[in-house]
Amino acid sequence: MVIGRRGGGQLTGFERSLEHRSAVVFRLTMMTPPPAHPIAGCEALMRSPDPDHRSPLTHFDSQGQAHMVDVSDKPETQRSARAAGTIRMQPATFELIASGQASKGDVIGIARIAAIQGAKRTAELIPLCHPLPITRVTVAFDLDREASAVHIQAVVQSFGRTGVEMEALTAVQVGLLTVYDMCKAADRGMVMTDIRVLDKQGGKSGSWKA
């Protein structure tokens, strides 16, 4: 490979060095054989090194692809889960909620309905969740004046083949988001925190408690 110079003339030392390096790269490129089966090579990279390996993350198959877990072989059992969370705010914002004087109305009452609705719509929000036949949702709020916080607990029950932890967590989060929405005009610095599963019952793994 030769690097030409516009208008002719002698090459400088830098240009001769550049020409030499380009020639070396060109020769190495020509000497390297192309992969015999490039598509097969890509497939090998996608395959798990151990086809029999099963990840503890059940939403991934042996190829590492996301999928909805097949629960058709699981027995139907009574299942329940309880989740909780907290939203912290300024003392003045808390008083608006506690006194029922928020400009949008009954904050707690509307947040309770929103939480129940959130539990029912979980499969539409979390892509790999199964639509479940929920049999009961209860939502309770606790007004904590000392901490200027509102605590929420949601209990979800179902009779089916998979657990309802996600439904309980979604109920909690949607309830807290509704509190934020109804009070954000007074306090945009509210913080949602400590969202967690407290316990669950039913299914192959039985009972669990935090």
Side-chain angles (χ1 to χ4, degrees):
M1 179 178 287
V2 178
I3 299 177
R5 173 181 251 199
R6 181 179 296 177
Q10 297 295 318
L11 297 176
T12 66
F14 172 77
E15 290 170 332
R16 284 195 297 274
S17 174
L18 182 60
E19 181 183 66
H20 174 71
R21 293 180 183 180
S22 298
V24 170
V25 171
F26 178 76
R27 285 198 298 272
L28 289 174
T29 302
M30 296 300 293
M31 292 170 61
T32 304
H37 302 287
I39 296 178
C42 293
E43 291 175 346
L45 289 174
M46 293 172 62
R47 287 197 297 268
S48 169
D50 180 5
D52 295 327
H53 175 69
R54 292 295 181 268
S55 169
L57 303 177
T58 57
H59 283 298
F60 294 95
D61 62 19
S62 61
Q63 304 297 317
Q65 304 298 314
H67 72 128
M68 180 179 282
V69 177
D70 182 2
V71 298
S72 57
D73 291 335
K74 292 185 176 183
E76 291 186 332
T77 62
Q78 184 67 42
R79 297 170 182 266
S80 68
R82 182 167 59 105
T86 296
I87 184 167
R88 305 186 188 282
M89 61 199 68
Q90 296 294 328
T93 309
F94 177 86
E95 292 302 329
L96 285 175
I97 296 173
S99 64
Q101 295 180 2
S103 60
K104 289 189 176 182
D106 179 8
V107 173
I108 299 303
I110 295 174
R112 178 177 289 106
I113 298 301
I116 294 171
Q117 186 74 358
K120 293 162 58 180
R121 294 295 187 93
T122 298
E124 298 176 26
L125 301 171
I126 311 299
L128 299 182
C129 278
H130 296 80
L132 300 180
I134 292 175
T135 57
R136 188 178 186 218
V137 181
T138 61
V139 179
F141 288 89
D142 177 31
L143 302 183
D144 186 347
R145 178 170 274 104
E146 183 176 350
S148 295
V150 176
H151 309 292
I152 180 177
Q153 281 197 20
V155 177
V156 179
Q157 296 178 348
S158 176
F159 188 80
R161 292 183 168 91
T162 189
V164 287
E165 295 96 321
M166 292 305 301
E167 284 70 18
L169 287 168
T170 302
V172 164
Q173 188 67 85
V174 171
L176 295 179
L177 284 168
T178 302
V179 172
Y180 185 96
D181 175 62
M182 296 191 69
C183 299
K184 66 181 183 294
D187 184 359
R188 297 184 186 276
M190 290 177 284
V191 176
M192 289 166 278
T193 185
D194 296 332
I195 298 160
R196 64 209 185 276
V197 174
L198 298 176
D199 54 63
K200 75 92 172 176
Q201 288 81 38
K204 182 178 179 180
S205 60
S207 299
W208 176 89
K209 187 173 183 179

